[in-house]
Amino acid sequence: MNDSVDYASFVALIDDDEHSAHLLTRTLVAHSAPGVQCYGDASAAFLRVKAVLSDPAAARPALIIVDLKTHSDANLEFLEAIEHLIRQNGVPLIVLAPLLEETKRRALLESGASAVFVRHADRDAYRRVAGDIVEFWAHTQRPVAVGM
C-alpha cells in the first residue's frame, strides 16, 4: 500500500482492517484504478481528509472509498463527521457495506455518499464489485480531467 502516490488522480481508501485495505487496493489496481492512498481507520482518516480538503494546494483524491467495519454504523458515523467537507469540495465518496436495509442505505446517501456498494465475501463477487467501483470512478471524472 502506498502512503504517497505521484498520480494526478488517486483514490483515497478509508479502511479499519489492514488486510482488507491491502486486498481492495490490489483488486482495484488490477481493474485499472488510479493509484490508491490508504488513509487508515476512521480517526486517522478524519484528520487526513480534513487536512487535504481544507488545503487548496493539496492533491485531492478523485474518489474516496469508505469501508469501516468496527461496528454496524461506523460508515455512517464517519460520513456524518465529514459530510460538510465532502459536499463543499464535491469529491465523490462511495461506501462499501454489507447488504443493507433500505433505510440504512438511504441514510448513507443522505449523509454524502455518492453510491453504496455491497461488500461480498465471495471472491468473484468481490472482484465484480471492484470492477464496478473503477467504472463508477471513470464515470465521475470530468472530461477536462482526461483531456477532452
Side-chain angles (χ1 to χ4, degrees):
M1 289 183 291
N2 297 334
D3 280 340
S4 176
V5 176
D6 293 329
Y7 304 106
S9 179
F10 66 93
V11 172
L13 175 59
I14 298 162
D15 196 327
D16 51 12
D17 180 294
E18 189 174 323
H19 174 73
S20 171
H22 182 68
L23 179 61
L24 184 56
T25 298
R26 285 185 24 224
T27 307
L28 290 170
V29 170
H31 280 87
S32 301
V36 177
Q37 286 190 24
C38 292
Y39 278 23
D41 65 9
S43 58
F46 174 79
L47 296 174
R48 192 153 178 199
V49 167
K50 185 176 176 183
V52 166
L53 296 184
S54 298
D55 181 357
R60 294 174 181 220
L63 177 68
I64 298 173
I65 300 172
V66 179
D67 186 14
L68 298 171
K69 303 166 209 69
T70 54
H71 59 85
S72 62
D73 287 328
N75 287 325
L76 182 59
E77 288 176 6
F78 183 79
L79 261 62
E80 289 172 343
I82 65 165
E83 178 181 6
H84 66 286
L85 289 169
I86 296 301
R87 293 192 194 283
Q88 186 176 43
N89 289 280
V91 177
L93 181 146
I94 65 160
V95 174
L96 270 173
L99 191 57
L100 297 170
E101 60 186 47
E102 182 59 23
T103 56
K104 287 191 175 191
R105 190 185 74 75
R106 195 173 317 118
L108 289 167
L109 294 170
E110 289 171 357
S111 294
S114 302
V116 178
F117 290 85
V118 176
R119 181 187 327 110
H120 294 280
D122 174 73
R123 184 180 358 178
D124 291 332
Y126 184 84
R127 287 180 182 146
R128 282 191 299 275
V129 168
D132 291 345
I133 291 170
V134 172
E135 185 175 339
F136 178 86
W137 163 78
H139 288 296
T140 63
Q141 298 305 290
R142 293 173 288 179
V144 293
V146 292
M148 297 178 126

